[in-house]
């Protein structure tokens, strides 16, 4: 199966073109889901001349099958569960998983943002970017966390997702930009030529470059 994108940066360049209609919106803000969403979002921030920050979200993985999302949590206390999958998990086990992931969420906030507070989203056009969505649970948690902060227009932007996930995300956001919705979808990584892990250092470097550029 042919890759749709050479790497995350190439996906970001394509995504920037699809989001060009939002350039110049007052208060435009990009929020990327780390780690993989940041190298996708960086070319978008350059193309739209918009500030870039991170939106911290952690997947709650099924015990023994971590890639299967039970749900996700986000900064600010938001939690989204996949009811069908969550029904298979013992509540005590789920509580332990959530406690572990909340600790990691806080660690990443300190690692990526330091002492800087999150950017204010109230009244702004906010674009939330990731490198793709399989179940969409992680992105949905991020959108739920932002919705309570009063953005004027909430956009979910991803390079690739299966059709059913795109349909759900379109209901959660005010606008969905998804470049490709292939039916035979086994994982986000299958659509990239290079889907290597993004490091914490790379995330910090791209965020610093975005701030310097802004």
């Amino acid at each position: 199966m042919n890759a749709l994108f050479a790497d995350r940066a190439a996906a970001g360049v394509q995504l920037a073109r699809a989001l060009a209609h939002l350039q110049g919106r007052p208060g435009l803000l990009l929020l990327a889901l780390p780690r993989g969403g940041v190298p996708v979002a960086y070319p978008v921030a350059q193309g739209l001349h918009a500030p870039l920050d991170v939106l911290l979200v952690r997947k709650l993985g099924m015990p023994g099958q971590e890639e299967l999302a039970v749900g996700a949590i986000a900064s600010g206390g938001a939690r989204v569960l996949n009811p069908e999958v969550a029904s298979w998990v013992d509540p005590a086990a789920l509580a332990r998983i959530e406690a572990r992931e909340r600790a990691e969420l806080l660690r990443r906030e300190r690692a990526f943002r330091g002492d800087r507070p999150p950017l204010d989203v109230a009244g702004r056009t906010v674009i939330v970017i990731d490198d793709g969505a399989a179940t969409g649970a992680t992105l949905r948690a991020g959108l739920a966390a932002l919705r309570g902060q009063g953005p004027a227009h909430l956009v979910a932007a991803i390079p690739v997702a299966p059709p059913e996930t795109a349909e759900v995300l379109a209901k959660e956001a005010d606008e969905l930009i998804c470049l490709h919705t292939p039916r035979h979808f086994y994982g986000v990584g299958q659509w990239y030529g290079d889907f290597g892990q993004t490091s914490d250092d790379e995330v910090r470097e791209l965020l610093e470059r975005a701030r310097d550029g802004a």
Side-chain angles (χ1 to χ4, degrees), residues 14 32 35 38 42 53 57 66-68 74 81 85 87 89 91 94 104 145 157 162 165 189 193 213:
Q14 293 187 37
R35 301 183 182 103
V38 176
Y42 180 74
D53 199 359
V57 183
E66 299 299 328
E67 290 304 312
L68 180 59
L81 292 181
V85 180
S87 66
V89 183
L94 181 57
E104 176 63 13
T165 296

Side-chain angles (χ1 to χ4, degrees), residues 36-185:
V38 176
V40 177
Y42 180 74
V44 180
Q46 288 184 304
L48 301 187
H49 306 289
L52 172 64
D53 199 359
V54 287
L55 174 62
L56 277 298
V57 183
R58 292 292 296 172
K59 180 172 66 176
L60 304 176
M62 168 74 76
Q65 291 180 267
E66 299 299 328
E67 290 304 312
L68 180 59
V70 179
I73 56 173
S75 298
R79 182 175 80 154
V80 173
L81 292 181
N82 181 339
E84 292 183 1
V85 180
S87 66
W88 305 341
V89 183
D90 176 72
L94 181 57
R96 289 193 295 272
I97 294 167
E98 183 170 348
R100 182 187 70 217
E101 295 301 337
R102 286 207 179 277
E104 176 63 13
L105 189 149
L106 292 173
R107 185 198 71 79
R108 290 196 180 196
E109 283 189 326
R110 290 191 295 268
F112 299 147
R113 191 178 286 124
D115 295 330
R116 293 183 305 275
L119 296 178
D120 184 15
V121 305
R124 304 177 74 165
T125 295
V126 181
I127 305 173
V128 184
I129 296 177
D130 202 359
D131 54 12
T135 67
T138 306
L139 190 53
R140 287 175 58 216
L143 294 171
L146 291 172
R147 184 67 75 184
Q149 299 177 38
H153 189 62
L154 189 55
V155 183
I158 46 177
V160 62
E164 59 273 14
T165 296
E167 185 177 345
V168 170
L169 291 172
K171 297 175 183 176
E172 304 272 342
D174 298 318
E175 181 179 354
L176 172 68
I177 301 295
C178 183
L179 301 180
H180 298 278
T181 55
R183 293 199 171 276
H184 300 292
F185 197 102

